[in-house]
Amino acid sequence: MLRVSKAILHVFDFETGTKHFSDTALDLEDRQTRSYVQRRLRKITSNPESRHGEFAEKSNFAGGLQEYAHGDFGFVEFSAQIAQWFWENLRKVDETEQCDLLVADYLNTDAATSADTADEASDGDDADAFDGDARRLFAIVLLPRKQAFIHDVSATSNEILRQDAILPSPTQKVDTYAVIDLGTGSIDFHDHERLMAGQACHIMSELFLQCSSEASSQEVISEVTGIVQELAEEYNLEPAVEVSRAKAAVAAAVEVHETVDPVNVGRQVFEDRPEICERYEARAAEKHLPEEVPVKRGPAGRMTRSHKIRTDTGIEITFPSEMTNHPGFLEFTRESDGRMTISIKNVAHIENR
């Protein structure tokens, strides 16, 4: 579950060259405000696209964050310092982006992983059910603003007006944020390349946080399944079967440890084929895959619970990844002419979807 202790919103207007820093935190007693902030934070906290990092020794922000965590700075004051840094540096970007800055201090229990798909929890009442040990997290999120058009109808006018201060919806992806665990110092972040005076940089990870950058859960799983597919094709195995087995291995590992060992996944997939297993480990080393990557259960389920294939005849089939580990339900047979037969067996009922 997720409970927001403090949150604040600061506004940048690069078109007019003005900034509006808040003097007070958001009113989290207001149901609508609390719901928006919680859903936004839940989205980034469970995002499998987040890269992972640790502060460099030279990081200026790490020291300030530690002082804030120990109570040496007030939340509003500390958030204003962060906002000032982003205001000064985002103005230097070659193509400025209209955005607001959300800063939040919140608690997250392990139970949140089962709520990663909980966009349905739109009322934001996680706090009411909060219980158990929690990690204290600190989030910094750039919320891109967009243009929208609204109607203005009265007794004397009927107009369509442009509105330039629209925040992204709670479920919409944002591409620049950081979530720092105040207990361990570990960082989950997402960033995109920007140009400053023609030089490419990552403003969040490289300039502000000054942290390392390790592959995201999604990137690692994609690399693992990619290697499995390449080797399956190389050794005349059925890629659909081997890739689905790799996904099932990832799902099983995450369910127990919430981490994935890429090398161990390959060993499980090719356990009866030592030569292929050796090739897999060599390719994993070539791609510099980490020895272990953290993966939350919810995102892992979305990425690995099922496998989808499409034939050259246009037929699409989606099946549980673990199904290929259970003989007698799904069978792929290669015919003498090179064509393939897919057999779905032991079916008691079919329904239209």
Side-chain angles (χ1 to χ4, degrees):
M1 296 296 178
L2 186 149
R3 176 193 286 166
V4 184
S5 305
K6 308 178 191 71
I8 196 167
L9 196 63
H10 299 294
V11 179
F12 304 140
D13 189 338
F14 297 110
E15 286 188 3
T16 62
T18 58
K19 62 182 187 291
H20 306 278
F21 292 174
S22 301
D23 295 325
T24 58
L26 291 168
D27 180 10
L28 297 173
E29 294 299 317
D30 178 76
R31 184 184 183 90
Q32 184 169 277
T33 301
R34 185 176 73 247
S35 174
Y36 182 89
V37 174
Q38 285 186 327
R39 294 174 71 189
R40 168 54 57 204
L41 294 177
R42 186 185 299 115
K43 190 77 174 176
I44 64 172
T45 303
S46 63
N47 188 2
E49 297 179 13
S50 297
R51 296 180 70 85
H52 312 293
E54 301 286 343
F55 285 114
E57 290 185 8
K58 66 177 183 179
S59 172
N60 296 319
F61 177 67
L65 182 64
Q66 189 173 40
E67 291 179 357
Y68 163 75
H70 291 161
D72 297 336
F73 285 112
F75 176 73
V76 174
E77 176 190 0
F78 186 54
S79 72
Q81 292 178 8
I82 296 170
Q84 183 64 33
W85 188 95
F86 276 98
W87 167 252
E88 293 174 357
N89 285 274
L90 286 172
R91 295 174 71 186
K92 301 174 186 177
V93 174
D94 292 356
E95 295 185 11
T96 56
E97 315 156 36
Q98 292 292 82
C99 61
D100 296 336
L101 179 72
L102 174 67
V103 181
D105 186 334
Y106 63 109
L107 298 175
N108 192 41
T109 69
D110 290 339
T113 56
S114 63
D116 290 332
T117 57
D119 287 334
E120 69 271 11
S122 58
D123 58 3
D125 283 339
D126 282 0
D128 298 336
F130 188 90
D131 190 20
D133 296 331
R135 295 184 301 145
R136 185 183 175 194
L137 305 176
F138 191 87
I140 302 161
V141 190
L142 288 181
L143 298 176
R145 291 203 308 274
K146 58 182 181 180
Q147 290 184 356
F149 293 88
I150 61 174
H151 61 260
D152 182 20
V153 179
S154 66
T156 58
S157 68
N158 189 351
E159 299 179 273
I160 296 176
L161 306 177
R162 192 179 75 177
Q163 175 58 260
D164 295 323
I166 304 298
L167 292 173
S169 71
T171 57
Q172 181 181 330
K173 286 185 177 182
V174 294
D175 60 14
T176 306
Y177 63 81
V179 177
I180 304 106
D181 188 318
L182 293 181
T184 65
S186 63
I187 306 166
D188 285 351
F189 69 91
H190 197 283
D191 206 352
H192 74 267
E193 194 173 83
R194 293 173 169 87
L195 294 178
M196 282 188 174
Q199 297 295 315
C201 69
H202 289 87
I203 195 166
M204 180 65 79
S205 56
E206 295 177 6
L207 302 185
F208 180 69
L209 296 172
Q210 296 176 302
C211 68
S212 59
S213 179
E214 297 180 2
S216 68
S217 306
Q218 187 177 72
E219 289 171 325
V220 171
I221 293 174
S222 179
E223 289 283 10
V224 165
T225 55
I227 295 172
V228 169
Q229 174 156 338
E230 290 171 3
L231 290 174
E233 292 172 349
E234 187 176 327
Y235 285 87
N236 295 316
L237 303 175
E238 179 46 54
V241 173
E242 306 308 327
V243 170
S244 67
R245 292 183 65 207
K247 287 185 175 182
V250 169
V254 171
E255 190 62 31
V256 177
H257 304 293
E258 288 203 321
T259 60
V260 171
D261 178 343
V263 171
N264 193 48
V265 171
R267 289 172 181 166
Q268 291 184 53
V269 174
F270 302 118
E271 59 182 342
D272 298 328
R273 306 177 183 92
E275 180 186 355
I276 306 179
C277 186
E278 188 176 330
R279 292 287 302 278
Y280 174 91
E281 293 183 23
R283 293 200 183 179
E286 289 172 5
K287 292 181 177 293
H288 305 290
L289 296 185
E291 293 183 1
E292 192 174 76
V293 61
V295 185
K296 295 182 176 64
R297 291 187 184 93
R302 292 196 294 272
M303 290 185 287
T304 64
R305 74 166 62 96
S306 63
H307 187 59
K308 186 175 183 178
I309 60 175
R310 181 175 182 175
T311 70
D312 57 358
T313 56
I315 297 173
E316 294 185 353
I317 302 174
T318 302
F319 57 89
S321 297
E322 62 178 10
M323 190 66 72
T324 49
N325 288 323
H326 302 287
F329 292 95
L330 189 64
E331 186 176 297
F332 293 79
T333 306
R334 183 73 63 175
E335 307 297 343
S336 59
D337 62 358
R339 295 182 179 274
M340 182 179 300
T341 298
I342 303 174
S343 303
I344 302 174
K345 301 180 177 181
N346 292 314
V347 176
H349 176 69
I350 294 177
E351 62 180 64
N352 291 313
R353 302 299 294 270

